[in-house]
Each structure stands twice: as C-alpha cells, then as structure tokens.
Amino acid sequence: MARKTKEDTEHTYHQLLDAATLLFIEHGVAKTTLNDIAQRAGMTRGAVYWHFTNKDAVIKALWERNAGTAHHSFTHSLRNLDPQHPIAHFRQLIKSLLHNVISDPKLSQAMRIIMHCIEFSDEKTDLQQFLYRFRDDFYDALHTALTTLAQYHALRDDMNAAVLTSSLWAYINGLIHTHLEPDSKTVDLQQHYAALLDLWLNAALR
Amino acid sequence: MARKTKEDTEHTYHQLLDAATLLFIEHGVAKTTLNDIAQRAGMTRGAVYWHFTNKDAVIKALWERNAGTAHHSFTHSLRNLDPQHPIAHFRQLIKSLLHNVISDPKLSQAMRIIMHCIEFSDEKTDLQQFLYRFRDDFYDALHTALTTLAQYHALRDDMNAAVLTSSLWAYINGLIHTHLEPDSKTVDLQQHYAALLDLWLNAALR
Amino acid sequence: MARKTKEDTEHTYHQLLDAATLLFIEHGVAKTTLNDIAQRAGMTRGAVYWHFTNKDAVIKALWERNAGTAHHSFTHSLRNLDPQHPIAHFRQLIKSLLHNVISDPKLSQAMRIIMHCIEFSDEKTDLQQFLYRFRDDFYDALHTALTTLAQYHALRDDMNAAVLTSSLWAYINGLIHTHLEPDSKTVDLQQHYAALLDLWLNAALR
Amino acid sequence: MARKTKEDTEHTYHQLLDAATLLFIEHGVAKTTLNDIAQRAGMTRGAVYWHFTNKDAVIKALWERNAGTAHHSFTHSLRNLDPQHPIAHFRQLIKSLLHNVISDPKLSQAMRIIMHCIEFSDEKTDLQQFLYRFRDDFYDALHTALTTLAQYHALRDDMNAAVLTSSLWAYINGLIHTHLEPDSKTVDLQQHYAALLDLWLNAALR
DNA sequence: CATGAATGAGCCTTCATTCAT
DNA sequence: TATGAATGAAGGCTCATTCAT
C-alpha cells in the first residue's frame, strides 16, 4: 500500500500495539505470532516489521507507551517527597500507585503482560534487561523514599529502610500480581486497596 | 535394546525431569524443546515421549514431584490448626512455609518455574487449570486457617478474614516472587524472612 | 522534493552503481539487496527503482559503464588487425588487454563481479543472455583475429585457428579468473603477465 | 515416516544429493531452495534437514562425494611423481586429470557447480573456506610437481616453477571453465584436450 | 526525483509428532 | 525401552515491489 499521512501512520502504530496487547493477554506472548498481531489489526506481517524490528520490540514499545509515563512520574515523586509532609505524601503516593494500576486499563494491561504473560529465565535477553531496568529503577526509588522517611524518623525503629523496602516491594507486587491473575480468588482490590495498604503502612511507619 | 530394570526406568524418568527443570529455568518453558530436554539428559526425544505425552505433562510431573508433598502437607495443616495453640501454630506454619521455599532446592525450582518461567493467559489450558487448582486449594486453606483464627478472635477486628487472607496471600506471594526473581535486588530472605513475616503477623493478629 | 539538476541525477546514478559494485564484490550478487545498495549510496530503495527496473538492470548498467568501452575497443581492434604488422599488433593487443584488466579498477571490478560474484545456470535469464552476448562477441573477435593470422601463415601449422582460439580463450580467461579470485595464490600478474602471455604466443605463433 | 534400514537411509542421502546437483546446475545455488531439493527427490524439507544442517552442508557433501576421491588421488600423485619417469608421469597426470573432468559426469557436475553456479565474494564464509582449501591444496600439489620437475631440469630455464605453476593453473582452470560453461562456443574438449595440453606442455617442459 | 508505508510471497529453520525397528 | 528417520505445520524474517505523497 502506498504512503500515508503522518496521522495514518501513527494510527497504524497504535492499532498494532493494541492488537498485540489483547493477544498477549489472551494467549501469552510466546504463543502470539507477529502474524496474529497483524491480522488482528487488519494488516499484514510486513506492517508489523515496518514499525517494529521484532516481537521484543513490540513488547518494549507497548510497555513504554502504556506504563512509561506512570513509571517516570511515580519514581520521580518517590525520589522527591514533599519535605513538609513526607509521610502523608508517601502514603498518598503508594495509594495512588495502586489506584492507577487498578483503574487505568492501559497500565493494568501492560503490567499484566509483563507479570503473567511473559517468561523470565536466566537468559539475559535484551527484553529482560530492558524490563529489569524499570523494575530496578522503581525498587531504587522506593528505597530512596523509605530512606528519606527514615531520616525523618518516620519508620519503626526495629527494621531498617532496606528491609522495609523489600517488604513493601513484595507486598505491592503481590497485591498487583494476585489482582491481575486470571481467575483471581482474592477480594476486590478496587474496594479494599486503601485498607490493605494501610495495614502495611500503619505497621511500618509510625 | 536390552530390557531395563524398574530402577533404571525410574532413574531415566528423574533424569528427564531434572534436565527439564534446569532448562526451564535457564531458557524458559516456551523456548525449551523436548529435544533439548532429551539431549540434556543424554537421551533422544523418544525417551521423553515414552515417559510423558507432551511438554505440559512434563511440567505437571515436575510440579507434583517437587512441590506436591509440601503442598499437601501445608494445606492439610492450615486446615487443621492445633486447637490448643492456633495462633502459634499458624505463625509457625507460615514461617516454615517460607523457610521451606527458601531452603528446599527442588521446591524453590518448581516455584520459580511456575512463577517466572511459564506464561499464564486467559486461555484455560489444561496445564493452567491444573496449576490453578493447586493455587486455589492453597488460597482456600489459608482462608480456612484465618477464618478459624477469627473464631478464636485472634484477628484484628477492623478487617475480616477474607480481606486478611488476600493480604497475606499477596504478601507471601510477593516475598517468594521477588525472592526467586533473576537478579533480585531485595534483601536476603534467608536472613530476614522471620522479621518480614512478623511485620505482617503482628499487624494482622492480636 | 526539490527538482534536481541533470548533473545531480547523473551523480546519483553513478553513486548507486558504485555502491552496487562494492556490495556485489563484498557479499555476492544474490545476497545483495536493492535496499543494501540504496543505503550504501545514502538513499532509499525508491531511488534505485527510479534508475533501474531491478537488480539485473543494475548489473547490466554496471557492466556497460565499466567494461563497455574496453570491450568494444578490443573487439574492434581484433577484427581489424593492422595489415602491415598483424602479428605484432595481435601480440600487443593481447598484452594490453591483460594490462587493462589488471590496471583499470573499474574494469577489473566489473570482471570480478561477472566471473566470481554471479551465478550462471542453465536458465537463459535475460541477464545471462546479455552477458553471454558480450562473451560470444569477444570469442568471435578472437577467432577472427586468429583466422586472419592464419591467412598470414602466422600460426603453427599443426593446429587450426579454431583450436588455437579455444586455447587462448581458455588461457586468458584462466589468467584473469585466477588473478581476480579472493585469496589468490598465483604469482603477481602485474609483474608476470607479459612473460605468461609470451609463453603461449611463442608456442602458438611462428 | 518411520525408521528405515541403513540402506534406505543411504539411498535417501544420495537421492537428495543428486536432486541438489541437478537443481544447482539448472537454476544456480542461490535460487535453489531446500524445498526444491526435497521435492525433486520426492521428499519433504525435513528430510533434507535430517541429513544436512543447511544448504552449504549440501554443497560440501556434494563436493566431497563427487570430487573428493579424484582430488585426493591427483594431489597425491602430483606430490609423488615417479622418480624414474617424472616428465612422462606428469604429462600423463595432467592429461588424465582433464580426461576425468570431461568423462566423469559426477565430477564434471561438481566442478561446474563450484565454477559457475556459486557466488564467491570477499566474505569468508564457511563454505568458501572449505572450497578454497581444496583449491589451495591442488595448487600446492601442482607447484610441488613442477618444483620436482625443475630439480630434474625438465622445465624451460627462463621461467621458474612458481610462474609456470600459475600459468598451468590458469590454463587448466580456463579449459575446464570454458568447457563447462553453458552455451560454450569453444571446440570440443573431448576431442582436443590432448593437443591443447601438449601446446602448453611442449612449451613449458623440455 | 525520491521517500516512506505497506503488501505478499517465499525461504530458512525449528519442532512436535509418528512409526518401524 | 529407546532410537533414528522422516513428516508437516508453523514461525520469523527478508525482500522485491507498489504507490500516494
């Protein structure tokens, strides 16, 4: 097909990404072929190869489009807690984080894909490194925030920032992970996320 | 070919399972072929086909061999808390659960595979249903235990058993998940698991 | 896009041909794509399609540009030996032919491509027929020259012009072929071509 | 299909090689797909992959099967000229070499393929190195033979063994090359090869 | 003139699977 | 029991080609 306008091209790009998202969730990344993605978006494989070099590039693009902004915004905030009200700011951040994951479909799709629909192995593939860079960056931001809180003597004094970071990291990951799981048996997170987080926050902060 | 003894056959079976375990962790399930497994075990594809109908059957067998006993033991205990000391028993169970995952290589390999090296999608494949039956059974056992504790008025009274189950479930899952992750940045679980669990137990139980 | 002047266009044309030449030699014709050519010339595929209908047309154009003049000049001379000194003229022609192939980079590149970097099969493709027309024309010119020499009784009398043509044709081809071969093990042709040719000329002429 | 006897397997192997030979000559190596080969041999692509890792391996196997014996026999003889009659032995060897190429269909097919139906570029592919090892080995054997003849003072004294080796090498290559060319215009080599070789041998030896 | 977007055909390769031995 | 030979389906990827801009 012939050349399109810039808008057409961008539209195609997003259509491909949307199609990929749904297929990844429906059948997993490994079982989804580039042909599937193209067909679902009403195009041919060639179109996918025009926009992305391979399947991993699709996943990367998908992650950056759907989660990039939120990631950067949260890590930046965690690293720059309001000096006037660091505790309140932190509590609000953690809660809005979960709220975002729950209520923003694009974000929750992206998280679901990387949490459930991709295999992670010992191989240090390009994609794995790409995603782990985000993970590590977020973990680091969380650690920075808790270290800051420690300086304000806002943490319980029998556990240091590092251990509490791992604890919160596990808890948040666990909540999101179990929430996004197919056929999840857990309680409705939308309704209970504040209380669930308060359980931890009240236990860890003082 | 010469007949083999029952022991030889069983030995082959375990060799295949061990080979599969390592390969699944090293390269992921999707990228591991039956041929890879056979070769790693020093055999040919035919041997795999003799012992397992397909790759999913390998995973199932692997899970049952490595995690089956622990699963049944824990769920049984959770459903039958010591009436004399239900809280202490529960605390001890949760801790020994994590201790097991950390220190039993077979178990941790199996958990790592199903947590990181397999894709879960909306498809209700046979394997997914098989594994989710274990998951749901465990969740249910945990819920039963917490319900029992509630009857003993051992839970904080602002949150019901269901919500606390989801909370603990998320926490335990999160701890194991982040612990088994490649290149994990979290604190050493071996050293801190008791304190990390106490944080939650002290917050939730009374 | 702004109109280009005739010179610009012609410049583009030569750039494409030069890029193609290098790529054909580096990777062979079959493995070189039109995209490769365009990129090497700092353009996109469209430019190639504007100047050439397809890859075969590139090769034809390349051959005519790099070898066309020499071919026509030599065949013409061979067909019109100086009646005064036919033998001397012939000897000089053969030697200058080899000298040309050795010292003219454009010509040697073209010869190397058609001798080593293209496949010739039983298929009578357009390109093959195009190139064989040159080959046959040269062979015929050589035969004409030797026939002329025969009329002057300048050939050894135990072999006719046809056989000697085949002999010289094989020898010249062999010398050029082995000289242009990658990692050639033969002696330096630049230094020895005159002696090598004299070996044959002294044996065949009298 | 199920397992076959050893003879069946070997038969398949040769059928595939024969099919490949014909197709390489008919359409060139690059244009021949493994699918073509399989189909021509009445099998599926899988069969080809069972016997050969890729197309290059087919070519290597083909060369060794069709030309390996002759190559080893000739190079060995060239390196071990009969001390009693070195010149006569050498002349006979060179002639029987050409005679072989002309009259042994398997050998001439193999030579035609590597001379005309394959592209050679600056890339040092595995296949190219494989084939050049044969070429260099033959060139070296020829050089050894001529060096031996020089020791017997059997060469004309105005040219050394190295130059004469290059000369003969070019001549032989040229004769075979032009003889095996599609639509060759040269005289019938079958009929004239002895005379054509004598032209060179009489000029170079004394 | 030249580009950028997209198509569609086809090739190489890998694999699960089958079956005679 | 286990192997070795072969099938066939499918996936990833590349490319020549087309065409609106």
Side-chain angles (χ1 to χ4, degrees), chain B residues 155-181:
Chain B
L155 305 186
R156 57 185 298 159
D157 45 15
D158 59 343
M159 300 179 88
N160 63 34
V163 173
L164 286 174
T165 304
S166 287
S167 176
L168 179 54
W169 175 246
Y171 195 44
I172 294 175
N173 263 279
L175 286 170
I176 298 175
H177 198 272
T178 56
H179 167 65
L180 294 176
E181 218 163 13

mmCIF file of all heavy atoms in Angstrom, chain B residues 155-181:
data_model
loop_
_atom_site.group_PDB
_atom_site.id
_atom_site.type_symbol
_atom_site.label_atom_id
_atom_site.label_comp_id
_atom_site.label_asym_id
_atom_site.label_seq_id
_atom_site.Cartn_x
_atom_site.Cartn_y
_atom_site.Cartn_z
ATOM 1 N N LEU B 155 -7.923 -12.270 65.183
ATOM 2 C CA LEU B 155 -7.620 -11.287 64.144
ATOM 3 C C LEU B 155 -7.963 -9.883 64.616
ATOM 4 O O LEU B 155 -8.860 -9.713 65.463
ATOM 5 C CB LEU B 155 -8.433 -11.591 62.884
ATOM 6 C CG LEU B 155 -8.305 -12.984 62.280
ATOM 7 C CD1 LEU B 155 -9.065 -13.055 60.956
ATOM 8 C CD2 LEU B 155 -6.834 -13.352 62.072
ATOM 9 N N ARG B 156 -7.279 -8.899 64.076
ATOM 10 C CA ARG B 156 -7.672 -7.517 64.389
ATOM 11 C C ARG B 156 -9.108 -7.369 63.939
ATOM 12 O O ARG B 156 -9.541 -7.892 62.912
ATOM 13 C CB ARG B 156 -6.751 -6.532 63.685
ATOM 14 C CG ARG B 156 -6.686 -6.681 62.167
ATOM 15 C CD ARG B 156 -5.660 -5.758 61.558
ATOM 16 N NE ARG B 156 -6.019 -4.373 61.832
ATOM 17 C CZ ARG B 156 -5.140 -3.376 61.782
ATOM 18 N NH1 ARG B 156 -3.862 -3.623 61.495
ATOM 19 N NH2 ARG B 156 -5.504 -2.141 62.028
ATOM 20 N N ASP B 157 -9.879 -6.594 64.650
ATOM 21 C CA ASP B 157 -11.320 -6.643 64.373
ATOM 22 C C ASP B 157 -11.797 -5.654 63.336
ATOM 23 O O ASP B 157 -12.971 -5.612 62.998
ATOM 24 C CB ASP B 157 -12.129 -6.512 65.675
ATOM 25 C CG ASP B 157 -11.582 -5.406 66.543
ATOM 26 O OD1 ASP B 157 -10.803 -4.595 66.005
ATOM 27 O OD2 ASP B 157 -11.913 -5.371 67.732
ATOM 28 N N ASP B 158 -10.896 -4.851 62.755
ATOM 29 C CA ASP B 158 -11.361 -3.944 61.699
ATOM 30 C C ASP B 158 -11.253 -4.557 60.308
ATOM 31 O O ASP B 158 -11.598 -3.936 59.321
ATOM 32 C CB ASP B 158 -10.571 -2.624 61.760
ATOM 33 C CG ASP B 158 -9.088 -2.839 61.582
ATOM 34 O OD1 ASP B 158 -8.641 -4.003 61.728
ATOM 35 O OD2 ASP B 158 -8.364 -1.872 61.291
ATOM 36 N N MET B 159 -10.729 -5.782 60.191
ATOM 37 C CA MET B 159 -10.639 -6.410 58.869
ATOM 38 C C MET B 159 -11.092 -7.862 58.982
ATOM 39 O O MET B 159 -10.735 -8.558 59.926
ATOM 40 C CB MET B 159 -9.191 -6.379 58.378
ATOM 41 C CG MET B 159 -8.655 -4.947 58.250
ATOM 42 S SD MET B 159 -6.933 -4.923 57.688
ATOM 43 C CE MET B 159 -7.146 -4.935 55.922
ATOM 44 N N ASN B 160 -11.896 -8.276 58.031
ATOM 45 C CA ASN B 160 -12.394 -9.646 58.123
ATOM 46 C C ASN B 160 -11.408 -10.667 57.553
ATOM 47 O O ASN B 160 -10.397 -10.299 56.939
ATOM 48 C CB ASN B 160 -13.757 -9.761 57.444
ATOM 49 C CG ASN B 160 -13.675 -9.448 55.964
ATOM 50 O OD1 ASN B 160 -12.669 -9.745 55.322
ATOM 51 N ND2 ASN B 160 -14.737 -8.860 55.430
ATOM 52 N N ALA B 161 -11.714 -11.917 57.737
ATOM 53 C CA ALA B 161 -10.800 -13.000 57.332
ATOM 54 C C ALA B 161 -10.519 -12.972 55.835
ATOM 55 O O ALA B 161 -9.391 -13.216 55.386
ATOM 56 C CB ALA B 161 -11.372 -14.353 57.730
ATOM 57 N N ALA B 162 -11.548 -12.651 55.060
ATOM 58 C CA ALA B 162 -11.373 -12.661 53.608
ATOM 59 C C ALA B 162 -10.321 -11.640 53.166
ATOM 60 O O ALA B 162 -9.417 -11.937 52.378
ATOM 61 C CB ALA B 162 -12.706 -12.383 52.907
ATOM 62 N N VAL B 163 -10.462 -10.438 53.701
ATOM 63 C CA VAL B 163 -9.527 -9.391 53.313
ATOM 64 C C VAL B 163 -8.117 -9.727 53.807
ATOM 65 O O VAL B 163 -7.130 -9.570 53.088
ATOM 66 C CB VAL B 163 -9.986 -8.025 53.878
ATOM 67 C CG1 VAL B 163 -8.918 -6.965 53.616
ATOM 68 C CG2 VAL B 163 -11.308 -7.625 53.264
ATOM 69 N N LEU B 164 -8.022 -10.215 55.023
ATOM 70 C CA LEU B 164 -6.711 -10.557 55.549
ATOM 71 C C LEU B 164 -6.090 -11.719 54.770
ATOM 72 O O LEU B 164 -4.872 -11.781 54.579
ATOM 73 C CB LEU B 164 -6.806 -10.890 57.040
ATOM 74 C CG LEU B 164 -7.010 -9.656 57.928
ATOM 75 C CD1 LEU B 164 -7.242 -10.067 59.374
ATOM 76 C CD2 LEU B 164 -5.780 -8.732 57.841
ATOM 77 N N THR B 165 -6.915 -12.640 54.331
ATOM 78 C CA THR B 165 -6.399 -13.736 53.508
ATOM 79 C C THR B 165 -5.758 -13.182 52.235
ATOM 80 O O THR B 165 -4.635 -13.550 51.868
ATOM 81 C CB THR B 165 -7.533 -14.704 53.124
ATOM 82 O OG1 THR B 165 -8.158 -15.173 54.306
ATOM 83 C CG2 THR B 165 -6.976 -15.880 52.330
ATOM 84 N N SER B 166 -6.496 -12.291 51.595
ATOM 85 C CA SER B 166 -5.947 -11.694 50.373
ATOM 86 C C SER B 166 -4.658 -10.954 50.675
ATOM 87 O O SER B 166 -3.708 -10.977 49.875
ATOM 88 C CB SER B 166 -6.955 -10.721 49.762
ATOM 89 O OG SER B 166 -8.012 -11.421 49.162
ATOM 90 N N SER B 167 -4.636 -10.294 51.804
ATOM 91 C CA SER B 167 -3.449 -9.539 52.173
ATOM 92 C C SER B 167 -2.257 -10.474 52.377
ATOM 93 O O SER B 167 -1.177 -10.260 51.825
ATOM 94 C CB SER B 167 -3.722 -8.747 53.444
ATOM 95 O OG SER B 167 -2.561 -8.081 53.868
ATOM 96 N N LEU B 168 -2.456 -11.491 53.166
ATOM 97 C CA LEU B 168 -1.358 -12.420 53.446
ATOM 98 C C LEU B 168 -0.938 -13.163 52.184
ATOM 99 O O LEU B 168 0.245 -13.373 51.922
ATOM 100 C CB LEU B 168 -1.774 -13.419 54.538
ATOM 101 C CG LEU B 168 -0.721 -14.455 54.918
ATOM 102 C CD1 LEU B 168 0.599 -13.795 55.308
ATOM 103 C CD2 LEU B 168 -1.223 -15.351 56.054
ATOM 104 N N TRP B 169 -1.928 -13.554 51.438
ATOM 105 C CA TRP B 169 -1.674 -14.244 50.168
ATOM 106 C C TRP B 169 -0.795 -13.389 49.262
ATOM 107 O O TRP B 169 0.191 -13.865 48.680
ATOM 108 C CB TRP B 169 -3.026 -14.535 49.518
ATOM 109 C CG TRP B 169 -2.976 -15.139 48.156
ATOM 110 C CD1 TRP B 169 -3.389 -14.592 46.998
ATOM 111 C CD2 TRP B 169 -2.503 -16.459 47.819
ATOM 112 N NE1 TRP B 169 -3.220 -15.452 45.960
ATOM 113 C CE2 TRP B 169 -2.679 -16.620 46.431
ATOM 114 C CE3 TRP B 169 -1.968 -17.502 48.562
ATOM 115 C CZ2 TRP B 169 -2.321 -17.769 45.764
ATOM 116 C CZ3 TRP B 169 -1.609 -18.665 47.894
ATOM 117 C CH2 TRP B 169 -1.789 -18.794 46.502
ATOM 118 N N ALA B 170 -1.148 -12.117 49.179
ATOM 119 C CA ALA B 170 -0.352 -11.209 48.353
ATOM 120 C C ALA B 170 1.060 -11.076 48.917
ATOM 121 O O ALA B 170 2.048 -11.111 48.174
ATOM 122 C CB ALA B 170 -1.017 -9.834 48.284
ATOM 123 N N TYR B 171 1.139 -10.961 50.216
ATOM 124 C CA TYR B 171 2.452 -10.747 50.849
ATOM 125 C C TYR B 171 3.365 -11.952 50.639
ATOM 126 O O TYR B 171 4.522 -11.819 50.236
ATOM 127 C CB TYR B 171 2.242 -10.465 52.336
ATOM 128 C CG TYR B 171 3.448 -9.877 53.038
ATOM 129 C CD1 TYR B 171 4.201 -8.860 52.455
ATOM 130 C CD2 TYR B 171 3.820 -10.330 54.311
ATOM 131 C CE1 TYR B 171 5.297 -8.308 53.113
ATOM 132 C CE2 TYR B 171 4.920 -9.779 54.974
ATOM 133 C CZ TYR B 171 5.652 -8.773 54.361
ATOM 134 O OH TYR B 171 6.737 -8.238 55.012
ATOM 135 N N ILE B 172 2.822 -13.124 50.939
ATOM 136 C CA ILE B 172 3.629 -14.344 50.768
ATOM 137 C C ILE B 172 4.043 -14.512 49.301
ATOM 138 O O ILE B 172 5.199 -14.747 48.974
ATOM 139 C CB ILE B 172 2.845 -15.584 51.232
ATOM 140 C CG1 ILE B 172 2.614 -15.517 52.742
ATOM 141 C CG2 ILE B 172 3.595 -16.854 50.859
ATOM 142 C CD1 ILE B 172 1.734 -16.649 53.263
ATOM 143 N N ASN B 173 3.067 -14.372 48.431
ATOM 144 C CA ASN B 173 3.375 -14.465 47.008
ATOM 145 C C ASN B 173 4.437 -13.455 46.612
ATOM 146 O O ASN B 173 5.385 -13.789 45.906
ATOM 147 C CB ASN B 173 2.110 -14.202 46.182
ATOM 148 C CG ASN B 173 1.428 -15.471 45.762
ATOM 149 O OD1 ASN B 173 1.824 -16.097 44.790
ATOM 150 N ND2 ASN B 173 0.419 -15.882 46.519
ATOM 151 N N GLY B 174 4.261 -12.247 47.076
ATOM 152 C CA GLY B 174 5.215 -11.199 46.729
ATOM 153 C C GLY B 174 6.608 -11.515 47.238
ATOM 154 O O GLY B 174 7.603 -11.343 46.522
ATOM 155 N N LEU B 175 6.697 -11.993 48.471
ATOM 156 C CA LEU B 175 8.011 -12.319 49.028
ATOM 157 C C LEU B 175 8.697 -13.423 48.218
ATOM 158 O O LEU B 175 9.885 -13.319 47.884
ATOM 159 C CB LEU B 175 7.871 -12.740 50.496
ATOM 160 C CG LEU B 175 7.577 -11.609 51.486
ATOM 161 C CD1 LEU B 175 7.221 -12.174 52.863
ATOM 162 C CD2 LEU B 175 8.781 -10.660 51.601
ATOM 163 N N ILE B 176 7.952 -14.453 47.951
ATOM 164 C CA ILE B 176 8.549 -15.560 47.189
ATOM 165 C C ILE B 176 8.889 -15.113 45.769
ATOM 166 O O ILE B 176 9.971 -15.371 45.255
ATOM 167 C CB ILE B 176 7.582 -16.773 47.155
ATOM 168 C CG1 ILE B 176 7.335 -17.277 48.579
ATOM 169 C CG2 ILE B 176 8.146 -17.877 46.282
ATOM 170 C CD1 ILE B 176 6.315 -18.392 48.667
ATOM 171 N N HIS B 177 7.953 -14.430 45.168
ATOM 172 C CA HIS B 177 8.112 -13.977 43.785
ATOM 173 C C HIS B 177 9.361 -13.115 43.633
ATOM 174 O O HIS B 177 10.214 -13.365 42.761
ATOM 175 C CB HIS B 177 6.870 -13.174 43.390
ATOM 176 C CG HIS B 177 6.685 -13.000 41.932
ATOM 177 N ND1 HIS B 177 7.239 -11.971 41.225
ATOM 178 C CD2 HIS B 177 5.998 -13.738 41.024
ATOM 179 C CE1 HIS B 177 6.899 -12.069 39.946
ATOM 180 N NE2 HIS B 177 6.152 -13.131 39.800
ATOM 181 N N THR B 178 9.497 -12.128 44.468
ATOM 182 C CA THR B 178 10.645 -11.232 44.335
ATOM 183 C C THR B 178 11.940 -11.936 44.748
ATOM 184 O O THR B 178 13.007 -11.641 44.220
ATOM 185 C CB THR B 178 10.457 -9.967 45.192
ATOM 186 O OG1 THR B 178 10.227 -10.347 46.558
ATOM 187 C CG2 THR B 178 9.275 -9.157 44.699
ATOM 188 N N HIS B 179 11.811 -12.885 45.672
ATOM 189 C CA HIS B 179 12.998 -13.628 46.092
ATOM 190 C C HIS B 179 13.545 -14.509 44.978
ATOM 191 O O HIS B 179 14.761 -14.650 44.808
ATOM 192 C CB HIS B 179 12.648 -14.487 47.309
ATOM 193 C CG HIS B 179 13.666 -15.528 47.656
ATOM 194 N ND1 HIS B 179 14.939 -15.216 48.086
ATOM 195 C CD2 HIS B 179 13.615 -16.889 47.627
ATOM 196 C CE1 HIS B 179 15.615 -16.329 48.311
ATOM 197 N NE2 HIS B 179 14.839 -17.356 48.036
ATOM 198 N N LEU B 180 12.643 -15.105 44.226
ATOM 199 C CA LEU B 180 13.072 -16.058 43.195
ATOM 200 C C LEU B 180 13.391 -15.394 41.864
ATOM 201 O O LEU B 180 13.806 -16.061 40.917
ATOM 202 C CB LEU B 180 11.987 -17.126 42.991
ATOM 203 C CG LEU B 180 11.731 -18.065 44.163
ATOM 204 C CD1 LEU B 180 10.572 -18.988 43.848
ATOM 205 C CD2 LEU B 180 12.983 -18.894 44.481
ATOM 206 N N GLU B 181 13.188 -14.110 41.796
ATOM 207 C CA GLU B 181 13.389 -13.390 40.549
ATOM 208 C C GLU B 181 14.868 -13.365 40.172
ATOM 209 O O GLU B 181 15.734 -13.218 41.037
ATOM 210 C CB GLU B 181 12.911 -11.949 40.750
ATOM 211 C CG GLU B 181 12.218 -11.367 39.560
ATOM 212 C CD GLU B 181 11.437 -10.133 40.017
ATOM 213 O OE1 GLU B 181 11.664 -9.665 41.158
ATOM 214 O OE2 GLU B 181 10.635 -9.648 39.242
#
